[in-house]
Amino acid sequence: MREKHPGSLFITMTNAKMKITAVIPAGGSGRRMQSSKAKQYLLLQGIPLLVHTLRTFQESPVIGDIVLVVPAADVDRIQSDIVDAFAMTKIRRVVAGGKERQDSVRNGLAVLPADCEIVLIHDAARPFVSPALIEKAVDGALREGAVAVGVRARDTVKQCDGAGRVIDTLDREQIWMAQTPQAFRRVTIVAAHQKAQEDNFYGTDDAALVERMGIPVIMIDSIPDNIKITTTEDLAWAEHQFSTRKL
Ligand code: CTP
Ligand code: MG
């Protein structure tokens, strides 16, 4: 049962309205894309990749606010070129990213609105995120406290050394590939990032930082197309997907 208020989920038992903020890390340089422009600004269907992602959050009834993290040199420009130009009214803050993705996310968490209780983190480079997937992640965080979307392994997974020699064959039934969105109670994700910084620990996703605190993270089935645009081939594939979808 859902209310229509932006940024609130109706919780049947308590009538409480939880404020939900999306943190969108777009502070990378897209090295693997090998383009002169950072990949989040490359055009897809004539508009920056980043805008496709942001639009889904802007239009999601469960998202109240958006914190956008961009490369330090772009902060001022993004306010006019993205936030104003595309009427992204939910973007409350545009902040400078850091060296690693984890540093960028932490900078975003540092400026969360005071009343935010649930934080959803989503890579700018995944423009196929759907409204339903966002809602599933938010619902999961409300229920479980910490969730990540992902896909179950289809192939057999081999753990290997640097020379490709197999060390172990993992139990495929237990293997998931994690993506974003990942959603958490605010207190949990803020504490996890703080602890990681104290320990100088770098993980490859936000959930890993929560896991190392001993807090359970629950995986949620993703949707088939929620890929991260990494290479020029991904961009070409995305262009094709959008052209067939949005006709
Ligand atoms: N990101 C970020 N700050 C960084 C690095 C990455 O906010 N210091 C963001 C990217 O902009 C992207 C998301 O995190 O939206 C996922 O990172 P990735 O796909 O690895 O993007 P890049 O780091 O930009 O690409 P590459 O690794 O090829 O350089
Ligand atoms: Mg990267």
Side-chain angles (χ1 to χ4, degrees):
M1 217 185 146
R2 296 195 200 300
E3 273 192 339
K4 293 291 172 223
H5 301 301
S8 306
L9 276 186
F10 185 80
I11 303 162
T12 336
M13 296 303 291
T14 62
N15 260 11
K17 278 182 217 149
M18 300 284 253
K19 189 74 177 286
I20 295 145
T21 301
V23 173
I24 310 289
S29 57
R31 264 178 307 102
R32 286 169 288 178
M33 188 63 78
Q34 296 181 312
S35 153
S36 55
K37 220 191 241 184
K39 68 178 178 185
Q40 58 273 35
Y41 307 132
L42 295 177
L43 301 185
L44 253 183
Q45 298 289 294
I47 59 170
L49 195 170
L50 168 66
V51 172
H52 289 276
T53 308
L54 290 170
R55 270 189 180 158
T56 307
F57 286 89
Q58 170 73 29
E59 287 164 16
S60 167
V62 301
I63 299 297
D65 306 298
I66 302 170
V67 171
L68 176 62
V69 189
V70 298
D74 301 339
V75 172
D76 292 341
R77 179 179 78 72
I78 290 299
Q79 183 62 42
S80 55
D81 293 3
I82 302 282
V83 181
D84 300 341
F86 292 94
M88 296 289 177
T89 55
K90 287 186 186 171
I91 299 185
R92 308 281 179 235
R93 300 289 301 264
V94 180
V95 294
K99 188 162 180 293
E100 303 293 335
R101 178 187 181 282
Q102 188 172 315
D103 303 315
S104 294
V105 172
R106 192 180 58 247
N107 291 354
L109 295 175
V111 300
L112 288 173
D115 54 357
C116 154
E117 287 162 289
I118 297 283
V119 179
L120 180 148
I121 301 168
H122 182 73
D123 292 330
R126 293 184 191 272
F128 293 107
V129 62
S130 69
L133 193 61
I134 293 171
E135 291 202 21
K136 243 165 85 170
V138 166
D139 278 339
L142 287 168
R143 257 181 292 111
E144 310 282 357
V147 296
V149 314
V151 292
R152 296 163 197 262
R154 289 189 185 172
D155 300 321
T156 299
V157 181
K158 304 280 187 189
Q159 186 184 1
C160 301
D161 67 13
R165 189 192 307 269
V166 175
I167 298 166
D168 200 3
T169 297
L170 305 180
D171 177 5
R172 191 176 64 189
E173 295 299 311
Q174 296 191 334
I175 304 293
W176 290 67
M177 263 83 70
Q179 305 175 339
T180 68
Q182 301 190 350
F184 311 92
R185 291 195 186 109
R186 177 201 188 136
V187 286
T188 303
I189 192 63
V190 168
H193 268 268
Q194 199 177 329
K195 182 80 169 70
Q197 189 183 20
E198 280 166 22
D199 299 346
N200 197 28
F201 173 87
Y202 279 86
T204 48
D205 69 353
D206 300 287
L209 312 187
V210 172
E211 292 156 34
R212 69 189 286 276
M213 306 262 289
I215 297 170
V217 176
I218 307 295
M219 295 301 295
I220 293 178
D221 283 299
S222 185
I223 50 173
D225 290 347
N226 186 32
I227 66 155
K228 193 168 71 169
I229 308 291
T230 305
T231 63
T232 47
E233 288 77 23
D234 296 335
L235 195 67
W237 180 87
E239 190 73 63
H240 178 258
Q241 280 298 105
F242 273 119
S243 66
T244 50
R245 276 179 186 202
K246 293 191 172 173
L247 284 178

